[in-house]
Amino acid sequence: MTTATDYEPVIGLEIHVQLKTATKMFCGCALGFGEPPNTRTCPVCLGLPGALPVANAQAVHFGLMIGMALGCELDSRSIFHRKNYFYPDLPKGYQISQFDEPLCSGGELGGVRITRVHLEEDAAKTIHAGTSGRIDGSSHSVVDFNRGGTPLAEIVTEPDVRSAEQAGEFLRLLRATLRAIGVSDVDMSQGSLRCDANISIRPVGATGLGTKTELKNMNSFRFIEQGIRAEVSRQEGLLRAGQVVEQETLHFDPRTEKLTSMRSKEEAHDYRYFPEPDLTPVTITQAMLDRAKAALPELPAARAERFEGLGLHPDTAKLFAWRGELGDYFEAALEAGSGLDAPLVANWLSNELLQRLDADADPAASNVPPGSLAALVGLLLSKAVTAAGAKQVLDRLVEQGGDPAAVVESEGLGAVGGEDTLAPIVESALAANPDIAERLRTGDMKPMGVIIGHVMKETKGRADGQEVTRLVRSSLGL
Amino acid sequence: MIDREQVLHVARLARLELSDEEVGRASGELSKILDHIETIGELDLAGVTPTAHVVEVDSALRDDVPHESLPRDVALAQAPDVADDGFRVPSPQA
Amino acid sequence: MSAGGLTDLTATQAIAAIDAGELDPAELFEHYRARSAADDLGALGWVAERPPEDLAALRDRPLRGLPLAVKDLFCTEGVPSQAGSKLLEGYRPPYTATVVEQLAAAGSALLSKTHQDEFAMGSSTENCAFGPTLNPWDRTRVPGGSSGGSAAAVAAGLAPWALGTDTGGSIRQPAALCGIVGLKPTYGSVSRYGMIAFASSLDQAGPFARNVTDCALLWSHMHGRDPRDATSVGQPTPTVMPTARSLEGITLGVPADVDGDGIEPGVRAAFDAALETAKGLGARIERIELPHARYGIAAYYVLAPAEASSNLSRFDGVRYGARVDAPDLVGMYTKTRHDGFGPEVKRRILIGTYALSSGYYDAYYASAQKVRTLIAHDMKAAFDSVDLIVSPTSPGVAFPLGSKIDDPLSMYLEDAFTVPYSLAGVPAISIPCGLSEGLPVGLQLAGPAFSENRILDAAFALEGAFGFDSSAALSATGGAS
Ligand SMILES: [Mg+2]
Ligand SMILES: [Zn+2]
């Protein structure tokens, strides 16, 4: 019998990001956010006869920041092209985009090479009659040009991604990075981050590329991973059955988990790119580069490394770096307390505080500001409270806030330690269990737990087990 | 030389319906015009940089400052078919 | 002052009369409004029914409320702006072109919109969805184009002056064929915002007037950098009103290709006579070579249609303009564009789409852009040795209606002398220099970028010496006079 060939996916990603400018890419209309339809338009973004585009300086600035964040080369000159095709959401019959002289080219993020980053204008919104929202089946569509002309950065990767999981991982890092530099809301559900995937498979070890299909517009990381998995297995199925993969554009429906071809009736596209004669080349000056560089904060990838350097577990480091608000909270807590142990603070943030909050909640907005958590960890380190006690304190803090030390006081959760307080309790425990005491005295340490348990019961768990053991030994003269 | 097939392909790209008679005429006229255009072929253009803009203007960029948008009734005033405060078109896939 | 007298006044004279209190802008506007309403040349589309409300205020501005005829492709808020196209019949834009706003701010009063070849594609104004315009010198002939309506209106005294646009000769050639003055400015001098585009990298707005002085006056209020047009740069220096009486110290270059056979004998003779006059004014005449100029038409008929094919994609029946309904989107597009566009526009959309389509881009578009570079270099080199280049504006005089409409290439070759300067983006003027078979012959003067003042000054000196008489056309209309 023959063994079936193993295939490996070869995946490239195309990400469209809506930039957080005040106005559109080529006109002064304010960006639309759910206003009534067609209330954010002007002669330029409606493509009226005679209207001309003028590029938005802030969009260019954001584009340069993205290029820098992705380690791209920034050319001193960049030009816009016209991409010609007819569609109702494209008012001029062409999209102003970039072609062979993009703003940024060649970069890398999370081990995936970036081919290019270019600027373009978003299409308008076409609302398809009928509630399904699906294109087919509705006889008419209505176009709302509020979104038309919103600045987009298109980020294209090399086909370096080898699995659905890696795609998801890369996109999460990209989103964290774009959010950190503040150029976009990067909210997939709102469409400010959109992803297409070019997918092909090839026998493991092969170097050539198979026929690729394009998986369009998936609006959540989970769907992207599901969609890629579905498409990869579809292609494997075809090849194993001796069939061929057809180059086409596919739509993944997460509800049915089905892939449907979006190939339109028209002939293959011929976009007839040519340099946009209404716009002159964008010259990137040193001043523009300096301004973009100055605007860049520490990037998530670098921050994660720094956190690992503090002794944090890689997963925790990544969690704090990619969810910037957690990193900020963590660093604020370290600041607040002196001589705090970073991994311990991280542990109390990720494994204790976050578990007590809703998913994705910003702890800084909770009843437990960084200073409180720092104070609590401080009490723990000074043995003023036991781990068990500290967890009870945290429960109170999450509920009603307040000063940890005060809570320890009021709730009487302080650690019970020191000869004078603990010794009598140990004595009474021994007295209450003469037979156990006898066995201990003869060197049988097994039932020590019984005594400790007794003491813990008496102290509501606020005693230190080791201290108890020490007192038992000394009291029995061991 | 441009034949009927090419004329039809180009017309499809340009979203132009052409009658049979128009296709025939176009292929004749365009071929004649293209013959003249192809005299460019006599020139050696190797190493010549193409001119897209005759005036050199650097980055005529716009400050990111909002302006008034058009009132919706004005935006829609010239539209052939208005529905639901938008521009109505036959469904792309209908 | 008699009505006929009013028509005879040049714009500059009318302003003087207003300042002298002998003429009321309202009276002048009404005079031209009445003549325009009686237009029987087919030069005009929309004509104002009354003077603008603010005419009194305009009176205090430099242009004193003088009426202005505007080519139909300039957007004018609330006023039909149809670019000669059936597809835009009745289209009233919600905004006004920058240059029209500028002229209003300078005191112009919008009088009329003039007919043109559809989307400025043509050299005869026969490609106008609203009928052809007749040449006031001979109603069996064309006024030239594409700005034929503006040229005919000024020549026939339907307006003291007018706005046109020039992409490959669309101001200069009709000015020549109608015996008036037309200036095609340096590319980038005048804002294109609100000008319905034909070929974005070539289109420029310019003035038509009955003489060089009026032309310079209107021009002086047209140029300027417009933040709404990224390709506009304005002019480095203000316009200086022309005063030259001689051409002492001026060298005029004559391109070798004017010796070619394409040129009519009568035009040739008038041109030679004009050169003699120039010599008499003290000019030096020098033969020059523009080695690549003869590839101008070939390059132009790639670049202009390519840009046009894209510029006209917005006419899709969705947001404005005529729509032909169909159950499916592609059907709506293709029928709307089939019925809305005339034959010449379709022809150029096809050429341009073909030239940009995959597999042909390098052979056509990229090569044409390189020819453009070579022609621009030719000009630079020429202007190192001469101050201005002179040639006939057009190889022939006004031709009979219908004589070229079925032969696109011969129509295109009308622009052989004007297109190279358009490709180079340099300024050129056409002034009447004489008659051939009783029809005007135009002389083209071209200069380096931003040399409009030099061109206007030389044109003024020549105009004085030519003593061209345009009265024949002025009295040609049935318009009240
Ligand atoms: Mg894109
Ligand atoms: Zn807008």
Side-chain angles (χ1 to χ4, degrees):
Chain A
M1 73 171 255
T2 62
T3 57
T5 358
D6 285 330
Y7 291 98
E8 74 170 348
V10 178
I11 303 163
L13 301 170
E14 277 178 34
I15 302 96
H16 287 86
V17 182
Q18 281 184 345
L19 299 178
K20 226 185 340 186
T21 49
T23 65
K24 294 184 176 182
M25 184 67 220
F26 296 112
C27 70
C29 288
L31 296 194
F33 293 101
E35 287 77 11
N38 294 300
T39 52
R40 286 273 204 267
T41 72
C42 72
V44 176
C45 59
L46 277 179
L48 296 192
L52 297 172
V54 182
N56 184 335
Q58 185 68 2
V60 173
H61 172 65
F62 283 163
L64 293 174
M65 286 177 67
I66 294 173
M68 287 177 175
L70 303 184
C72 297
E73 297 145 33
L74 305 176
D75 257 315
S76 61
R77 181 179 183 274
S78 171
I79 67 173
F80 288 100
H81 270 65
R82 288 186 184 181
K83 180 182 184 181
N84 294 279
Y85 65 96
F86 286 82
Y87 206 74
D89 63 12
L90 194 66
K92 301 184 295 300
Y94 53 85
Q95 178 194 36
I96 304 178
S97 181
Q98 297 194 279
F99 184 53
D100 55 4
E101 292 187 51
L103 194 63
C104 327
S105 46
E108 184 274 336
L109 181 75
V112 175
R113 286 171 301 155
I114 306 296
T115 313
R116 57 189 279 142
V117 179
H118 75 245
L119 296 174
E120 59 185 31
E121 54 182 340
D122 203 349
K125 217 194 263 121
T126 309
I127 303 111
H128 301 290
T131 50
S132 73
R134 284 173 308 112
I135 291 177
D136 47 331
S138 60
S139 70
H140 280 79
S141 306
V142 171
V143 192
D144 166 15
F145 286 93
N146 286 357
R147 189 186 73 177
T150 298
L152 291 179
E154 178 174 335
I155 301 166
V156 182
T157 78
E158 294 290 307
D160 288 351
V161 177
R162 291 289 173 271
S163 72
E165 297 67 26
Q166 192 192 351
E169 176 83 354
F170 168 80
L171 289 168
R172 287 182 181 86
L173 173 56
L174 179 65
R175 180 178 59 179
T177 305
L178 296 172
R179 181 174 286 146
I181 64 179
V183 297
S184 171
D185 293 331
V186 286
D187 180 342
M188 291 197 96
S189 63
Q190 296 305 307
S192 54
L193 177 65
R194 308 197 284 267
C195 178
D196 306 339
N198 294 306
I199 303 167
S200 66
I201 62 171
R202 66 182 172 197
V204 173
T207 50
L209 291 176
T211 310
K212 70 175 184 189
T213 57
E214 188 176 18
L215 203 50
K216 272 239 176 275
N217 259 319
M218 297 160 290
N219 60 3
S220 92
F221 290 147
R222 215 174 83 254
F223 297 162
I224 288 169
E225 295 184 28
Q226 289 176 5
I228 291 175
R229 265 187 227 104
E231 174 55 9
V232 167
S233 57
R234 187 189 71 93
Q235 290 189 14
E236 280 189 20
L238 285 170
L239 295 194
R240 292 195 198 285
Q243 293 165 294
V244 293
V245 174
E246 255 190 276
Q247 176 144 16
E248 60 184 329
T249 300
L250 299 165
H251 169 78
F252 176 70
D253 183 340
R255 287 176 288 116
T256 64
E257 302 223 336
K258 276 209 159 45
L259 293 153
T260 49
S261 175
M262 288 175 31
R263 209 193 306 102
S264 59
K265 300 162 189 143
E266 315 137 30
E267 78 288 344
H269 278 310
D270 179 350
Y271 291 124
R272 289 160 284 138
Y273 279 98
F274 74 103
E276 164 60 282
D278 288 332
L279 293 168
T280 53
V282 179
T283 309
I284 306 304
T285 63
Q286 190 54 47
M288 290 162 86
L289 293 172
D290 296 344
R291 215 180 126 238
K293 185 134 207 67
L296 283 184
E298 180 185 34
L299 300 175
R303 202 178 192 190
E305 269 183 41
R306 187 162 59 78
F307 287 164
E308 280 192 53
L310 295 173
L312 270 59
H313 185 284
D315 295 345
T316 314
K318 193 194 282 176
L319 174 72
F320 288 2
W322 293 15
R323 277 184 61 188
E325 73 277 14
L326 298 188
D328 298 344
Y329 185 101
F330 167 67
E331 294 192 291
L334 274 185
E335 280 290 307
S338 61
L340 293 184
D341 163 53
L344 186 62
V345 174
N347 175 49
W348 274 82
L349 171 54
S350 59
N351 296 333
E352 297 301 335
L353 178 53
L354 291 185
Q355 306 314 315
R356 289 167 167 76
L357 306 174
D358 312 345
D360 304 324
D362 178 355
S366 75
N367 286 330
V368 191
S372 303
L373 191 70
L376 182 60
V377 173
L379 294 169
L380 191 63
L381 285 170
S382 66
K383 291 204 178 336
V385 62
T386 63
K391 292 178 186 180
Q392 297 175 56
V393 174
L394 190 56
D395 292 333
R396 302 283 179 293
L397 292 176
V398 169
E399 283 161 28
Q400 69 228 355
D403 165 36
V407 173
V408 168
E409 264 317 308
S410 57
E411 307 285 327
L413 292 170
V416 178
E419 303 268 354
D420 25 17
T421 31
L422 206 50
I425 303 172
V426 171
E427 290 307 329
S428 59
L430 289 169
N433 303 278
D435 49 340
I436 301 280
E438 190 47 39
R439 285 173 62 186
L440 292 167
R441 194 175 285 106
T442 57
D444 172 6
M445 291 297 151
K446 287 192 210 70
M448 175 66 80
V450 179
I451 302 299
I452 296 178
H454 185 106
V455 174
M456 287 300 177
K457 195 148 145 289
E458 291 296 308
T459 60
K460 303 196 196 66
R462 293 173 295 132
D464 177 339
Q466 285 158 357
E467 180 67 2
V468 173
T469 313
R470 197 183 57 75
L471 290 167
V472 170
R473 287 168 161 283
S474 67
S475 134
L476 298 176
L478 297 168
Chain B
M1 183 54 211
I2 170 168
D3 59 31
R4 293 182 60 97
E5 268 322 298
Q6 286 169 299
V7 170
L8 283 169
H9 169 69
V10 172
R12 259 196 307 275
L13 285 176
R15 295 294 184 270
L16 267 183
E17 183 180 270
L18 294 182
S19 69
D20 250 29
E21 184 269 338
E22 286 171 308
V23 174
R25 184 147 37 80
S27 119
E29 288 168 347
L30 298 203
S31 298
K32 209 170 146 202
I33 294 160
L34 289 172
D35 288 346
H36 178 79
I37 287 171
E38 273 149 19
T39 57
I40 290 176
E42 298 166 6
L43 294 168
D44 172 16
L45 298 171
V48 180
T49 53
T51 295
H53 294 95
V54 279
V55 282
E56 266 319 312
V57 196
D58 280 355
S59 321
L61 298 176
R62 178 178 58 80
D63 291 342
D64 189 23
V65 180
H67 68 197
E68 278 290 303
S69 290
L70 292 171
R72 178 166 58 203
D73 57 327
V74 175
L76 295 171
Q78 304 281 328
D81 185 2
V82 173
D84 307 332
D85 300 325
F87 301 84
R88 200 165 88 120
V89 295
S91 171
Q93 304 289 300
Chain C
M1 196 174 290
S2 85
L6 283 190
T7 308
D8 293 338
L9 292 179
T10 67
T12 310
Q13 290 166 340
I15 287 172
I18 290 167
D19 290 346
E22 300 158 7
L23 177 60
D24 173 5
E27 179 191 358
L28 186 70
F29 190 93
E30 180 49 33
H31 169 75
Y32 276 110
R33 203 201 60 73
R35 285 181 65 81
S36 298
D39 162 35
D40 60 1
L41 295 169
L44 309 179
W46 175 88
V47 174
E49 276 157 20
R50 63 193 66 77
E53 276 73 14
D54 61 346
L55 187 61
L58 297 180
R59 181 205 180 98
D60 306 322
R61 304 191 191 152
L63 300 182
R64 300 289 187 268
L66 258 60
L68 177 70
V70 173
K71 189 177 184 179
D72 207 22
L73 59 63
F74 289 93
C75 288
T76 45
E77 182 173 357
V79 169
S81 307
Q82 312 172 124
S85 182
K86 182 180 165 201
L87 199 147
L88 282 181
E89 185 162 12
Y91 174 66
R92 294 170 185 265
Y95 76 107
T96 297
T98 297
V99 62
V100 177
E101 271 178 349
Q102 266 173 263
L103 287 171
S108 276
L110 181 61
L111 169 69
S112 60
K113 298 295 289 289
T114 64
H115 283 153
Q116 58 168 95
D117 285 302
E118 184 177 10
F119 294 111
M121 297 178 186
S123 305
S124 70
T125 315
E126 291 168 291
N127 306 323
C128 178
F130 313 106
T133 300
L134 311 182
N135 189 314
W137 291 80
D138 175 348
R139 290 159 174 264
T140 69
R141 295 172 183 266
V142 304
S146 67
S147 312
S150 287
V154 172
L158 302 180
W161 49 20
L163 273 191
T165 63
D166 190 313
T167 305
S170 284
I171 287 175
R172 292 160 286 168
Q173 183 255 12
L177 272 48
C178 291
I180 61 169
V181 176
L183 172 69
K184 187 285 244 201
T186 306
Y187 183 85
S189 302
V190 182
S191 170
R192 292 184 298 113
Y193 189 80
M195 248 171 68
I196 299 175
F198 163 17
S200 311
S201 75
L202 295 155
D203 295 344
Q204 263 300 280
F208 283 105
R210 270 183 246 152
N211 63 41
V212 173
T213 304
D214 287 0
C215 178
L217 179 58
L218 193 58
W219 157 245
S220 69
H221 295 285
M222 288 178 64
H223 49 79
R225 160 107 177 81
D226 179 6
R228 291 179 295 185
D229 175 0
T231 65
S232 80
V233 291
Q235 284 269 313
T237 56
T239 298
V240 179
M241 291 306 286
T243 55
R245 288 286 166 208
S246 96
L247 295 177
E248 288 299 337
I250 299 285
T251 306
L252 303 178
V254 179
D257 59 330
V258 305
D259 301 328
D261 39 16
I263 179 165
E264 287 175 12
V267 170
R268 172 86 242 180
F271 176 64
D272 290 340
L275 289 183
E276 286 312 308
T277 310
K279 280 194 201 132
L281 290 169
R284 273 187 59 248
I285 310 290
E286 213 177 85
R287 290 271 146 183
I288 57 163
E289 287 294 332
L290 299 173
H292 303 94
R294 54 183 235 273
Y295 298 98
I297 290 290
Y300 177 85
Y301 277 95
V302 172
L303 297 173
E307 292 181 13
S309 71
S310 177
N311 284 333
L312 296 187
S313 294
R314 69 188 57 199
F315 300 103
D316 60 3
V318 175
R319 283 143 293 121
Y320 44 78
R323 168 194 291 192
V324 178
D325 282 306
D328 65 302
L329 181 68
V330 172
M332 187 278 279
Y333 280 153
T334 56
K335 286 173 170 42
T336 292
R337 292 164 61 78
H338 172 273
D339 291 11
F341 292 139
E344 182 60 23
V345 171
K346 288 189 190 123
R347 197 176 286 132
R348 299 209 195 179
I349 288 176
L350 292 172
I351 298 171
T353 306
Y354 179 74
L356 289 174
S357 63
S358 84
Y360 297 97
Y361 181 88
D362 291 324
Y364 290 102
Y365 194 79
S367 304
Q369 282 192 316
K370 292 176 178 179
V371 173
R372 190 171 188 178
T373 305
L374 295 175
I375 289 175
H377 286 159
D378 288 355
M379 300 280 172
K380 269 198 178 56
F383 289 125
D384 287 342
S385 59
V386 303
D387 300 296
L388 300 168
I389 299 175
V390 291
S391 74
T393 305
S394 168
V397 293
F399 48 92
L401 287 152
S403 61
K404 297 193 180 192
I405 200 69
D406 294 327
D407 183 358
L409 190 55
S410 74
M411 187 76 87
Y412 298 173
L413 293 169
E414 267 293 297
D415 298 333
F417 293 153
T418 50
V419 150
Y421 308 96
S422 302
L423 290 169
V426 299
I429 198 170
S430 179
I431 62 172
C433 66
L435 296 173
S436 164
E437 305 148 29
L439 294 168
V441 173
L443 177 74
Q444 175 175 247
L445 295 164
F450 305 112
S451 65
E452 278 82 351
N453 285 337
R454 185 195 303 175
I455 291 174
L456 288 163
D457 223 28
F460 180 78
L462 286 164
E463 176 183 61
F466 293 150
F468 182 80
D469 173 13
S470 61
S471 51
L474 264 189
S475 50
T477 58
S481 64

